[in-house]
Amino acid sequence: MINLILFTVLLFCQDSAFARALNAYPGLTLQGLELVNEKPTGGKCYVVVQRVEANNTKGKHCFDVEAQFIFQSAAITKDPAILTSRVTNYHRPEYPTQKSCAESLDGKTSGDEIYGNDSNSIHIVLFC
């Protein structure tokens, strides 16, 4: 069930998550198409971001997002969930000494920009 939700949320957040390092904020509401077993039901669903917190213990540019899910299908849970951005550089030589959840805009998980404070040249896939 959680894979269904995360897959659906990933579809929602493509634009907002890629614009800057973190473009999610409390109150942000994203609309998408409801999927069950990766098949559209014809219904709509929504994700409402309730809280965003940095998760610096996980790595640089890592975040936890509490989100409320709203589905038209009664069979799908509507409880809030904590979604955590994933570490992107786990396969790099500098891991685990340096960890980052950021990717450069060209999709690379190496380079100084994923560890820096300037968030204009990176994006974070929050929901996956």
Side-chain angles (χ1 to χ4, degrees):
M1 182 60 69
I2 194 70
N3 287 339
L4 163 72
I5 293 170
L6 295 182
F7 179 76
T8 304
V9 174
L10 177 62
L11 293 177
F12 288 129
C13 297
Q14 292 285 337
D15 292 334
S16 64
F18 287 89
R20 286 182 56 105
L22 185 65
N23 207 13
Y25 52 87
L28 175 67
T29 302
L30 304 165
Q31 177 184 326
L33 299 176
E34 185 178 86
L35 303 175
V36 174
N37 296 324
E38 299 184 20
K39 295 182 179 157
T41 65
K44 292 182 181 176
C45 53
Y46 303 88
V47 176
V48 180
V49 174
Q50 295 180 335
R51 184 173 49 89
V52 178
E53 289 184 5
N55 186 345
N56 296 326
T57 59
K58 186 173 183 181
K60 184 76 173 175
H61 300 299
C62 298
F63 294 89
D64 292 331
V65 176
E66 183 177 355
Q68 175 71 47
F69 301 95
I70 304 166
F71 295 96
Q72 286 184 323
S73 297
I76 301 175
T77 182
K78 297 175 175 88
D79 295 332
I82 302 293
L83 307 171
T84 302
S85 51
R86 62 184 171 89
V87 174
T88 59
N89 72 323
Y90 65 91
H91 62 288
R92 303 288 310 158
E94 62 270 22
Y95 179 88
T97 306
Q98 287 184 301
K99 299 177 185 177
S100 177
C101 292
E103 296 181 26
S104 62
L105 291 178
D106 61 7
K108 293 185 178 169
T109 57
S110 60
D112 293 339
E113 67 272 13
I114 68 169
Y115 305 109
N117 292 322
D118 181 8
S119 63
N120 290 312
S121 61
I122 62 173
H123 68 88
I124 300 167
V125 182
L126 292 173
F127 310 110
C128 56

